[in-house]
Amino acid sequence: MYGFSTIDDPSGLTFTATERSGGVRVITLVGDVDAATVETFDEALATGERLVVDLTRVAFLSCAGVRSLLEANTRGKLAVVVGGHAVTRSLEATGADVLLEIHSRVGAALAGLTPVPEPGREA
């Protein structure tokens, strides 16, 4: 079963959370992650233990946003999907690209987080 919710921050950041099979939550963000919106970003990242964070529609990721990703990574399993140069540059400049699981597509990130059932057992 899939669940779906969207939160719009007055500062311009929108996130949509979608529940996927295997207990994985996909967080899709649109806008900039900066000092004005990092609280909303933190709220989005606090919504599950196994997260795919889709940043392909984020134009700017501040150091505060990178810190939020790193903190979320310590609380659970996190995969980050990037598509834009600005986000990639922020992750590389801070060294976070080495610490986080980075993907170029949501499907690849989901595959990495979806549990594989043991032979003879159902998921």
Side-chain angles (χ1 to χ4, degrees):
M1 174 169 267
Y2 298 107
F4 178 85
S5 64
T6 299
I7 304 293
D8 290 313
D9 183 287
S11 300
L13 182 68
T14 298
F15 78 84
T16 302
T18 307
E19 296 294 332
R20 302 296 293 262
S21 62
V24 177
R25 181 172 261 205
V26 177
I27 307 295
T28 303
L29 294 116
V30 178
D32 293 339
V33 179
D34 55 24
T37 62
V38 75
E39 191 172 308
T40 299
F41 189 49
D42 287 338
E43 179 184 335
L45 296 176
T47 60
E49 292 180 16
R50 294 171 0 132
L51 297 174
V52 171
V53 182
D54 182 359
L55 301 177
T56 57
R57 296 180 65 193
V58 169
F60 177 75
L61 179 67
S62 70
C63 290
V66 172
R67 183 186 67 242
S68 295
L69 286 170
L70 293 171
E71 288 174 356
N73 194 48
T74 66
R75 292 190 304 266
K77 186 78 171 137
L78 181 77
V80 180
V81 181
V82 297
H85 177 71
V87 170
T88 301
R89 185 174 175 188
S90 292
L91 295 173
E92 289 174 351
T94 59
D97 62 321
V98 178
L99 301 171
L100 298 171
E101 185 178 322
I102 306 291
H103 298 275
S104 59
R105 300 180 57 93
V106 170
L110 281 169
L113 289 182
T114 303
V116 178
E118 294 179 32
R121 291 189 170 190
E122 293 184 28

